[in-house]
Amino acid sequence: MKLISFEKAGKASFGAVVGERIVDLGRHFEGRFATLRDLLTAGLGEIGDISRYPTDCALADVKLLKPVTNPEHIWCLAVNYADHHKEVESAGRAQDLPKYPAVFARFNDSFAAQDEGLWHPEVSEQFDYEGELAVVIGRGGYRIAAADAFAHIAGYTILNDGSVRDWQFHTRQITPGKNFYRSGAIGPWIVTADEIPDPYALRIETRLNGQVLQSDPAGLMLHKIAGFIEYVSTIAPLQPGDILATGTPSGVGFSRNPPVWMKPGDVCEVSIDKIGTLRNQIVNPQS
């Protein structure tokens, strides 16, 4: 099942995609769940058989929002692919492979939704792409054991961890370059975990203006999903709707010779098997 948050005629709702149409679950559950995060908190079992609901509108007639519009936490992994670590070093950023997950946080307003513009930072030309598989938490928990981690996953989505590289490397901590307003993207929807029995078999592909720049299977990640969930849930309890970005494979722009930076007018697409394609154009926020 594909779960979305959307807006139609100025009203926000959430639902499920059935072919090219939408079941407006917000309407069906009106008074019980205001957002998809509320439904995730109650449990996806509340939906039952999606085929028992009539569809309400065409997918083409709505504006997609970020799949979870109000996550409590967005945890991200850095240098979680060996070849990406090598290319980072080759670009002059010497560092050891992280013994523990190299975790950083992003703020919700640093992300745009499907087909929304990514804001070029303007104060820097070093605007880079990072295609990633993201995990969406369905059942929260504190200090979740790795052996139990997959029982806490609602599904998977696509994330572009757009990065402003020179601001990322101003100091040893990378938060500034990872949190420019609307510099990243997430979407277009969540594919529920029952449809993706093996997330490591999924291929992540990033294209800039149609040119393939990243293409690797998620199975190459160093710190696996279960360990990531165990690690961050030891820091703070995970909540339904939390987003965990699992890191980007090799092929990022700053390690290329010459570097490849995203600029206004460019179109960045991240595709992942069984999920779909996240598409965004780079825009000048002043235009």
Side-chain angles (χ1 to χ4, degrees):
M1 185 164 45
K2 294 176 181 175
L3 299 172
I4 59 170
S5 294
F6 67 93
E7 184 179 287
K8 188 174 189 294
K11 182 179 179 181
S13 190
F14 62 94
V17 178
V18 179
E20 296 300 318
R21 294 186 62 78
I22 294 171
V23 174
D24 186 346
L25 293 172
R27 182 178 71 81
H28 291 286
F29 286 115
E30 192 167 9
R32 294 183 62 196
F33 310 125
T35 66
L36 181 54
R37 179 180 167 186
D38 295 333
L39 176 59
L40 292 175
T41 300
L44 293 180
E46 294 282 338
I47 300 174
D49 184 357
I50 195 65
S51 66
R52 68 188 177 97
Y53 300 92
T55 60
D56 295 277
C57 59
L59 179 61
D61 291 339
V62 307
K63 169 183 167 55
L64 290 178
L65 306 175
K66 289 173 287 189
V68 179
T69 57
N70 56 342
E72 182 76 16
H73 305 110
I74 303 173
W75 293 109
C76 307
L77 282 180
V79 288
N80 199 33
Y81 287 75
D83 284 348
H84 177 50
H85 175 262
K86 292 175 184 175
E87 70 179 357
V88 169
E89 287 199 314
S90 70
R93 306 297 306 184
Q95 55 188 344
D96 294 330
L97 271 174
K99 180 180 178 181
Y100 299 100
V103 173
F104 63 94
R106 283 193 71 141
F107 306 126
N108 190 29
D109 68 359
S110 72
F111 288 105
Q114 171 81 342
D115 288 324
E116 287 186 331
L118 297 188
W119 284 26
H120 191 276
E122 297 185 296
V123 296
S124 167
E125 294 303 317
Q126 298 184 19
F127 190 25
D128 208 349
Y129 53 84
E130 291 192 15
E132 306 193 12
L133 173 68
V135 174
V136 182
I137 296 299
R139 179 159 63 92
Y142 187 39
R143 298 180 178 174
I144 299 166
D148 302 324
F150 277 84
H152 290 259
I153 296 174
Y156 302 89
T157 189
I158 304 171
L159 186 140
N160 186 346
D161 183 28
S163 305
V164 184
R165 294 300 187 189
D166 48 350
W167 282 70
Q168 177 182 337
F169 299 132
H170 278 174
T171 65
R172 291 182 64 85
Q173 59 87 21
I174 64 177
T175 299
K178 293 290 190 176
N179 278 286
F180 271 65
Y181 184 68
R182 287 181 59 162
S183 58
I186 187 167
W189 40 59
I190 299 164
V191 175
T192 51
D194 60 299
E195 295 196 11
I196 302 178
D198 182 8
Y200 301 119
L202 303 177
R203 177 166 291 272
I204 303 164
E205 182 174 287
T206 304
R207 299 179 299 278
L208 189 63
N209 301 323
Q211 180 183 0
V212 176
L213 297 176
Q214 292 184 291
S215 184
D216 269 319
L220 294 179
M221 66 177 67
L222 299 171
H223 295 283
K224 304 298 188 185
I225 291 168
F228 186 16
I229 290 174
E230 180 177 68
Y231 191 81
V232 293
S233 71
T234 303
I235 301 169
L238 288 175
Q239 304 295 333
D242 282 357
I243 308 296
L244 277 62
T246 59
T248 197
S250 62
V252 297
F254 91 98
S255 67
R256 293 176 174 272
N257 188 16
V260 174
W261 307 120
M262 297 189 294
K263 59 187 183 302
D266 288 349
V267 174
C268 189
E269 297 172 299
V270 183
S271 297
I272 299 182
D273 303 331
K274 297 182 179 293
I275 302 177
T277 297
L278 173 64
R279 181 186 184 277
N280 301 91
Q281 186 172 40
I282 317 307
V283 300
N284 186 332
Q286 302 303 318
S287 61

